[in-house]
């Protein structure tokens, strides 16, 4: 039977090609994902371990500019550590944000990974963390060193002036040197600026204080012994651990961080393989149908049902193995390509080999072979049931009425259960509702897949008159051929339906959320511009002073973070400029007057006031962030604004009771004379000192920032789902090709009675379009339903949520499905039109 299975594979190479392609693509995605994430994880783990090779003990205080409660490590403590027996060196480090301008004055890097740190040379004048390729480290105030990539992007050479922005005004420094580094921020596409230690401390903490320290040991001294000696010398909030423990901890963090990426990519690989199941099952079903006489004769000469079943499964295993080998090789190429793509996008992966783990190999082959064998199991079971007497007839066995009734009944029950779960989840809302929707979606999809053969006849019947009217005999024959074998049509359409269900659901959800966020932005903001730090850190107070003198600025208000407690309950507040805040934000007063902010009173959002039973005129006992107690009078209630905290307080009140060393100004909102214009924007940029680290955004930019991530996510999803849709296209090609092979005699007869080659091509083409559009209609309908349900579970958290059906995109999806049908039919249609009619008529 093995020889028989192998001969059948070799005899049907062309017809099995599409199956091989489908499995190959899925395996390539699985293996490529596993190899890529293993390679990525190994490279970063090795980098992390290398950076701590010489570190015996690492100390971190998490001290920051805004945190007065965490003191950091002072010089005296560092000297005590250096004086311990077994300590070879103790190096203090301090770091924070630093941005460098390119030749056009724009920020080099992406903001959050632009860092500045101190150059800490040892007795030999070198800092082991950096290797200088040109010049040397900064030895005094007024000079800096840059990493090699940043210097290249900025076209800087040693001795050039460099404009560097921290959290204050831009300053100009002299470039003392260029270095290479394995720093994670630089590898992520950011930049690294080195200052002398005194300058870095002044910028990021305070003179004589470090955020963390690394300690190296003399030979023969254990890391644990040094850790035990150092710990008692540290301030209360400091943590210390051995370099080995820290490297292991970072390795776990890297693994955890990559798990999400790994899971997402594997989920899409799973979707692609799930779609491939329909193609594989369809292929084997048609092959077995074409070999009915052969299989029945084998039964007649003594083959048992088990042997027939085993031979079909062996065929599937051979096909799966071949596809897995090719797919695994492609997966290695995919992993290499992804690694190169990260480099082109600005992310640097540390050098290291491609990691091909046993898990990746076994997973790829297990997935490829198992998926193929499982997909072929039902066709194999049907093949085993073929009775020897069937050899007396060339008529293929058709499904019995009983089997169809059972199938449709089961499909109906499963679809109803799924629909109930989706509707129930939409009604419940929240995280639990989303879980219910996900479960319901799974059952609904399975139910619809089972019912698709039943749905094909009435749905396709609706377009039959149109096809006949527009395309005559070709259209009539195409519509009849499309429903001649409902199971085959259903299996082919299912693949497209699954892909388009996901694409449509994501589109509906993405467009709905995007418009809700866009509406929230336009409804809540009156300002023409928003100023913020590219790093996400707070703005310096000097920005407010500069804007007060800027031309064209009609009104501006900061959004300054403030905190206090009312009756022991913590509340957040926005420190704003009285009189200007209502000019830059849309604030609707419910009671009282926002003018009371000028008198030192506060305004409270109506929802917060209602939940606490507060009203205008109430006096609230508060404990401020600096732990001082006082009273606040509510001067106004307003409809809460999504861009402000529930409490509005005068900025000077926020300043008086801040526990941080400097105000936490998140953004500055500006109303310009005459509205947004290039002149007004340039005036603001000039007033802020042409600071590359400060982002000046107009209303459209603001909308893009808040809604842009949705479009980015949509594009990523579309790209990942493209493979599933490609497999669905292969399924259409496969179905048509094998259908043409089955109908050679029929096509020959049609040619003999006058159907010319052009109309034969048109018939096959229209059949493909009908099947593709049928699957697309099912997928689009189910996708809209799922998008609505998931959106309902999010609606409570998104003000102004309203379902938006993107009719233009849905129309495009249907047009693309029709185009898929046309493209998929090119080869089968050409083959059908070239059949020799006399040879075809004689074919059994």
């Amino acid at each position: 039977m093995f020889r028989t299975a192998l001969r059948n594979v070799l005899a049907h190479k062309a017809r099995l090609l599409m199956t091989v392609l489908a499995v190959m693509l899925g395996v390539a995605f699985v293996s490529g994902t596993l190899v890529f994430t293993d390679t990525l994880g190994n490279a970063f783990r090795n980098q992390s371990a290398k950076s701590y090779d010489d570190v015996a003990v690492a100390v971190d205080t998490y001290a920051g500019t805004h945190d007065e409660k965490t003191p950091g490590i002072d010089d005296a403590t560092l000297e005590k550590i250096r004086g311990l027996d077994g300590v070879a060196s103790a190096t203090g480090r301090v770091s924070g944000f630093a941005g460098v301008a390119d030749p056009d004055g724009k920020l080099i890097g992406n903001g959050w990974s632009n860092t500045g740190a101190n150059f800490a040379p040892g007795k030999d004048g070198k800092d082991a963390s950096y290797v200088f390729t040109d010049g040397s480290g900064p030895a005094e105030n007024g000079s800096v060193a840059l990493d090699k990539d940043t210097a290249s992007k900025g076209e800087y050479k040693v001795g050039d002036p460099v404009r560097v922005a921290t959290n204050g005004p831009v300053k100009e420094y002299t470039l003392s040197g260029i270095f290479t580094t394995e720093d994670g921020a630089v590898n992520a596409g950011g930049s690294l600026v080195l200052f002398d230690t005194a300058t870095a401390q002044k910028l990021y903490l305070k003179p004589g204080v470090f955020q963390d320290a690394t300690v190296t040991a003399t030979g023969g001294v254990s890391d644990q012994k040094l850790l035990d000696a150092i710990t008692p010398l540290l301030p209360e909030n400091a943590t210390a651990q051995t370099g080995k423990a820290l490297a292991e901890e970072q390795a776990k963090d890297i693994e955890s961080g990559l798990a999400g990426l790994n899971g997402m990519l594997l989920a899409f690989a799973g979707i692609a393989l799930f779609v491939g199941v329909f193609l594989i099952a369809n292929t084997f079903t048609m092959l077995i149908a074409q070999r009915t006489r052969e299989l029945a004769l084998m039964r007649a000469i003594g083959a048992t049902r088990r042997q027939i079943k085993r031979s079909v499964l062996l065929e599937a295993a051979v096909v799966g193995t071949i596809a897995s080998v090719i797919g695994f090789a492609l997966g290695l190429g995919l992993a290499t390509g992804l690694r190169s793509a990260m480099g082109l996008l600005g992310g640097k992966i540390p050098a290291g080999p491609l990691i091909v783990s046993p898990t990746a190999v076994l997973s790829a082959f297990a997935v490829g072979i198992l998926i193929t064998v499982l997909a072929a199991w039902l066709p194999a079971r049907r093949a085993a049931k073929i009775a020897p007497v069937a050899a007396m007839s060339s008529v293929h066995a058709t499904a019995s009425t009983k089997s169809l009734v059972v199938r449709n009944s089961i499909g109906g029950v499963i679809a109803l259960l799924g629909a109930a779960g989706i509707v129930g989840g939409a009604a419940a809302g929240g995280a639990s509702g989303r879980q219910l929707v996900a479960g319901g979606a799974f059952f609904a999809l399975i139910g619809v897949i089972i019912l698709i053969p039943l749905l094909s006849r009435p749905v396709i019947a609706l377009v039959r008159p149109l096809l006949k009217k527009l395309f005559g005999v070709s259209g009539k024959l195409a519509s009849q051929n499309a429903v001649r074998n409902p199971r085959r049509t259903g299996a082919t359409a299912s693949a497209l339906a699954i892909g388009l269900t996901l694409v449509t659901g994501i589109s509906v959800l993405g467009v709905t959320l995007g418009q809700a966020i866009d509406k929230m932005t336009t409804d809540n903001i009156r300002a023409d511009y928003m100023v913020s730090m590219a790093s996400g850190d707070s703005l310096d107070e000097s920005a407010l002073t500069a804007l007060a003198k800027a031309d064209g600025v009609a009104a501006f208000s900061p959004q300054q973070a403030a905190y206090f407690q009312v009756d022991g309950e913590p509340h957040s507040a926005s420190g704003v400029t009285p009189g200007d805040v209502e000019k830059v934000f849309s604030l609707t007063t419910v009671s009282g007057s926002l003018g009371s902010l000028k008198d030192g009173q506060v305004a409270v959002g109506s929802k917060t006031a209602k939940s606490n039973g507060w009203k205008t005129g109430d006096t609230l006992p508060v404990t401020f962030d600096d732990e001082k107690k006082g009273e606040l009078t509510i001067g106004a209630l307003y409809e809460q604004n999504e861009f402000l905290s529930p409490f509005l307080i005068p900025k000077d009140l926020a300043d008086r009771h801040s526990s941080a060393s400097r105000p936490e100004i998140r953004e500055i909102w500006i109303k310009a004379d005459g509205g947004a214009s290039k002149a007004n924007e340039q005036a603001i940029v000039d007033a802020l000192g042409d600071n590359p680290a400060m982002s000046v955004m107009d209303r459209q930019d603001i909308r893009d920032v808040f809604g842009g991530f949705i479009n980015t996510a949509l594009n990523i999803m579309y790209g990942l789902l493209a493979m599933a849709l490609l497999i669905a296209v292969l399924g259409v090609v496969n179905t048509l090709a094998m259908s043409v092979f089955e109908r050679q005699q029929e096509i020959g007869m049609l040619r003999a009675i006058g159907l010319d080659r052009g109309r034969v091509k048109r018939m096959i083409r229209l059949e493909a379009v009908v099947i593709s559009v049928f699957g697309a209609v099912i997928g689009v309908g189910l996708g809209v339903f799922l998008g609505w349900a998931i959106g309902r579970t999010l609606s409570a958290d998104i003000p102004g949520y309203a379902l938006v059906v993107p009719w233009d995109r849905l129309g495009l999806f249907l047009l693309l499905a029709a185009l898929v049908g046309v493209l998929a039919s090119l080869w089968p249609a050409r083959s059908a039109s070239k059949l020799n009619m006399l040879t075809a008529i004689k074919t059994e």
Side-chain angles (χ1 to χ4, degrees), residues 196-219:
D196 65 281
T197 295
T199 300
Q201 287 176 328
K202 185 178 178 181
L203 285 171
Y204 300 125
L205 205 54
K206 53 188 176 184
V209 179
F210 298 96
Q211 290 162 325
D212 51 61
T214 54
V215 181
T216 59
T218 55

Side-chain angles (χ1 to χ4, degrees), residues 742-750 840-844:
E742 278 183 6
R743 288 155 37 200
Q744 286 186 70
Q745 190 178 58
E746 175 192 315
I747 292 169
M749 289 295 293
L750 289 170
I841 289 170
K842 290 189 293 181
T843 302
E844 292 190 7

Side-chain angles (χ1 to χ4, degrees), residues 614-680:
W614 299 332
K615 61 183 184 300
T616 305
D618 285 354
T619 299
L620 308 178
V622 299
T623 302
F624 293 103
D625 196 36
D626 60 359
E627 298 185 354
K628 293 180 181 179
K629 296 185 183 298
E631 291 184 342
L632 293 177
T633 301
I634 300 176
L637 299 183
Y638 67 96
E639 290 184 8
Q640 280 177 242
N641 186 298
E642 298 302 320
F643 291 87
L644 294 166
S645 299
F647 276 84
L648 300 184
I649 64 174
K651 183 187 182 305
D652 59 354
L653 180 63
D655 290 339
R656 287 200 305 270
H657 295 288
S658 174
S659 63
S661 59
R662 48 179 264 175
E664 294 183 51
I665 302 172
R666 294 167 179 164
E667 308 110 18
I668 302 173
W669 298 85
I670 303 168
K671 188 70 177 174
D673 287 326
S677 67
K678 287 186 178 180
N680 281 335

Side-chain angles (χ1 to χ4, degrees), residues 436-482:
L436 199 56
V437 169
F442 174 77
F443 284 106
L445 202 56
I446 297 297
V448 168
I449 288 167
I450 295 171
L451 289 173
I452 270 186
L454 175 67
L455 296 171
S456 63
R457 288 186 183 276
V459 173
I460 293 175
L462 292 174
V463 297
R464 186 176 298 163
L466 180 63
L467 290 173
K468 184 178 178 181
K469 184 176 180 181
L470 292 175
F471 303 103
V473 174
S474 296
K476 180 181 179 180
L477 290 172
S479 62
Q480 289 175 342
N481 290 334

Side-chain angles (χ1 to χ4, degrees), residues 1-315:
M1 295 309 291
F2 177 76
R3 287 197 298 272
T4 302
L6 195 58
R7 285 195 189 105
N8 280 323
V9 171
L10 295 173
H12 302 107
K13 293 188 290 292
R15 279 175 272 173
L16 288 167
L17 177 62
M18 299 302 173
T19 296
V20 170
L21 286 173
V23 178
M24 179 188 75
L25 287 172
V27 170
F29 212 149
V30 171
S31 57
T33 294
L34 293 173
V35 171
F36 174 64
T37 51
D38 285 345
T39 300
L40 211 60
N42 182 71
F44 283 118
R45 279 193 297 273
N46 288 343
Q47 180 196 51
S48 176
K50 183 180 177 182
S51 62
Y52 291 104
D53 271 348
D54 299 324
V55 176
V57 177
V59 181
D60 201 333
T61 65
Y62 307 101
T65 308
H66 302 303
D67 188 2
E68 292 290 327
K69 298 175 183 176
T70 306
I73 305 170
D74 57 25
D75 286 331
T77 302
L78 205 58
E79 283 303 318
K80 289 178 184 177
I81 293 172
R82 291 189 181 113
L84 293 173
D85 290 337
V87 171
S89 67
T91 305
R93 300 287 182 186
V94 62
S95 62
F97 169 76
V100 180
D102 67 10
D104 297 324
K106 303 297 183 183
L107 183 68
I108 297 174
N110 47 29
W112 60 268
S113 61
N114 292 336
T115 56
N118 64 308
F119 176 68
K123 294 178 181 178
D124 58 357
K126 296 180 180 179
D127 189 327
S129 297
Y130 313 105
V131 177
F132 280 81
T133 59
D134 194 10
S136 59
E140 58 185 4
N141 184 19
S143 62
V144 294
L146 296 177
D147 69 271
K148 188 175 180 180
D149 287 345
T150 301
S152 176
K153 291 173 186 175
E155 301 176 8
Y156 291 117
K157 296 177 181 177
V158 172
D160 286 350
V162 180
R163 296 176 72 244
V164 180
T166 53
N167 288 324
V170 179
K171 292 184 180 179
E172 193 170 276
Y173 298 85
T174 300
L175 184 61
S176 67
I178 298 170
F179 58 89
T180 60
T181 177
E182 291 297 326
D183 186 275
V186 176
N187 285 331
S191 62
L192 179 59
V193 182
L194 294 181
F195 302 91
D196 65 281
T197 295
T199 300
Q201 287 176 328
K202 185 178 178 181
L203 285 171
Y204 300 125
L205 205 54
K206 53 188 176 184
V209 179
F210 298 96
Q211 290 162 325
D212 51 61
T214 54
V215 181
T216 59
T218 55
V221 178
S222 75
D223 294 351
Q224 187 59 47
K225 183 179 178 181
L226 270 187
L227 178 64
D228 294 339
I230 290 169
T231 301
L233 303 177
L234 301 177
E236 185 180 347
N237 294 322
T239 60
Q241 54 189 320
T242 62
K244 183 179 179 182
L246 186 58
E248 289 174 355
E249 183 181 295
Q250 289 199 358
K252 288 179 182 176
D253 290 342
I254 291 167
E255 196 171 314
S256 175
L258 291 173
L261 173 65
N262 199 28
M264 183 183 72
L265 292 175
L266 288 176
F268 283 97
I271 291 167
L273 287 167
F274 184 53
V275 171
V277 165
F278 294 94
L279 190 158
I280 298 164
N282 226 7
T283 301
F284 278 95
T285 298
M286 288 186 284
L287 283 174
I288 287 162
Q290 292 165 13
R291 289 161 48 201
T292 300
R293 176 171 288 186
E294 174 194 327
L295 294 171
L297 283 171
M298 290 178 67
R299 289 291 314 280
I301 61 174
T304 65
R305 287 187 174 186
R306 182 175 294 178
Q307 286 176 313
I308 296 293
K309 186 177 178 180
R310 193 182 302 150
S311 73
V312 176
L313 292 178
L314 279 171
E315 284 182 51

